[in-house]
């Protein structure tokens, strides 16, 4: 195992994914202004893929600057529907609006992961999943948000597939780890190639 793996995030889901895979990690929130970065890059015409990758790298670099020698993992996820990039909802009303737009549509989730050591990116990957939502009625959406607001308020797209949110979908193409925001298998393969994990 590498001496220290640091997840540059406070995400409980990402930390759980890594720990369930047997990795010993610590979590250190990166504290970057994600919304400002998103707006700036979007104004410059960055693609959703580039946006996810840049945010993931920014988080890893921020934490790496404080922790010499550590492998710092930065992760970010972008939801894109017909060229529009979605952010985490700020209110239940915004969650209802987002789910109304996603209803009956197929959207993309782009989950980026960048590993940095001593300020230098060592590895990066952007996983993609395509998710098709069932069509919902307005009362259903309002009820769903009312019941699950505290659980979905930190989720882009306003759903959690590891819970009842899975019922919102008719089809999912892609790795479920990518849907949850951390493309685990490519990371594990890279750590194996480096000799950090036993085979």
């Amino acid at each position: 195992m590498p001496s220290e793996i640091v997840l540059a995030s406070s995400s409980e889901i990402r930390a759980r994914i890594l720990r369930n895979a047997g990795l010993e990690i610590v979590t250190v929130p990166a504290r970057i202004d994600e919304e400002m970065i998103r707006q700036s890059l979007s104004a410059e015409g960055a693609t959703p893929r580039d946006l996810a990758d840049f945010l993931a790298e920014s988080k890893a670099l921020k934490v790496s600057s404080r922790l010499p020698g550590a492998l710092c993992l930065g992760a970010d996820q972008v939801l894109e529907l017909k060229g529009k990039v979605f952010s985490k909802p700020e209110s239940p009303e915004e969650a209802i609006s987002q789910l109304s737009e996603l209803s009956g549509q197929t959207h993309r989730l782009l989950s980026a992961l960048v590993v940095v050591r001593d300020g230098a990116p060592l590895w990066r990957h952007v996983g993609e999943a395509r998710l098709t939502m069932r069509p919902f009625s307005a009362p259903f959406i309002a009820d769903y948000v009312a019941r699950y607001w505290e659980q979905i308020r930190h989720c882009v797209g306003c759903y959690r597939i590891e819970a009842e949110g899975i019922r919102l979908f008719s089809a999912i193409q892609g790795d479920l780890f990518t849907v949850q925001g951390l493309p685990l298998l490519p990371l594990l393969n890279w750590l194996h190639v480096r000799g950090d994990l036993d085979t």
Side-chain angles (χ1 to χ4, degrees):
M1 291 289 288
S3 57
E4 185 172 37
I5 296 179
V6 178
L7 176 62
S9 170
S10 58
S11 168
E12 294 178 9
I13 292 173
R14 289 185 177 118
R16 185 167 64 246
I17 288 171
L18 293 168
R19 289 184 176 123
N20 285 348
L23 298 180
E24 296 177 13
I25 66 162
V26 295
T27 59
V28 179
R31 307 204 189 287
I32 63 170
D33 190 339
E34 291 189 47
E35 194 54 39
M36 186 205 59
I37 293 172
R38 285 175 188 268
Q39 290 177 5
S40 175
L41 290 177
S42 295
E44 294 174 8
T47 66
R49 183 184 187 88
D50 290 342
L51 180 58
D53 180 72
F54 186 88
L55 284 165
E57 182 177 297
S58 297
K59 294 173 184 177
L61 287 170
K62 182 79 178 275
V63 172
S64 177
S65 67
R66 306 195 309 260
L67 298 171
L71 280 181
C72 295
L73 279 58
D76 195 79
Q77 187 176 61
V78 168
L79 186 157
E80 181 264 333
L81 173 67
K82 298 178 180 177
K84 178 180 177 179
V85 173
F86 286 63
S87 298
K88 295 172 185 175
E90 302 263 334
S91 66
E93 293 74 25
E94 191 172 333
I96 289 170
S97 175
Q98 288 191 11
L99 284 169
S100 298
E101 282 190 68
L102 296 172
S103 173
Q105 303 290 324
T106 298
H107 64 266
R108 291 195 307 156
L109 281 179
L110 298 157
S111 292
L113 187 59
V114 177
V115 181
V116 169
R117 172 180 275 154
D118 295 326
L122 302 178
W123 178 84
R124 64 197 331 119
H125 177 82
V126 180
E128 179 176 330
R130 293 179 179 269
L131 298 88
T132 303
M133 278 196 171
R134 301 180 188 282
F136 318 123
S137 67
F140 173 86
I141 293 172
D143 178 66
Y144 178 81
V145 172
R147 285 187 294 127
Y148 292 108
W149 169 244
E150 287 304 319
Q151 288 85 12
I152 65 174
R153 64 186 304 173
H154 304 295
C155 304
V156 64
C158 313
Y159 52 80
R160 294 172 66 229
I161 65 161
E162 64 273 23
E164 191 177 324
I166 191 64
R167 293 171 54 187
L168 303 178
F169 297 93
S170 60
I172 296 176
Q173 296 175 295
D175 188 311
L176 291 182
F177 294 116
T178 296
V179 176
Q180 292 178 304
L182 194 141
L184 178 65
L185 295 178
L187 173 65
L188 294 179
N189 288 337
W190 179 71
L191 289 172
H192 276 296
V193 169
R194 280 173 50 90
D196 290 325
L197 297 178
D198 296 331
T199 54

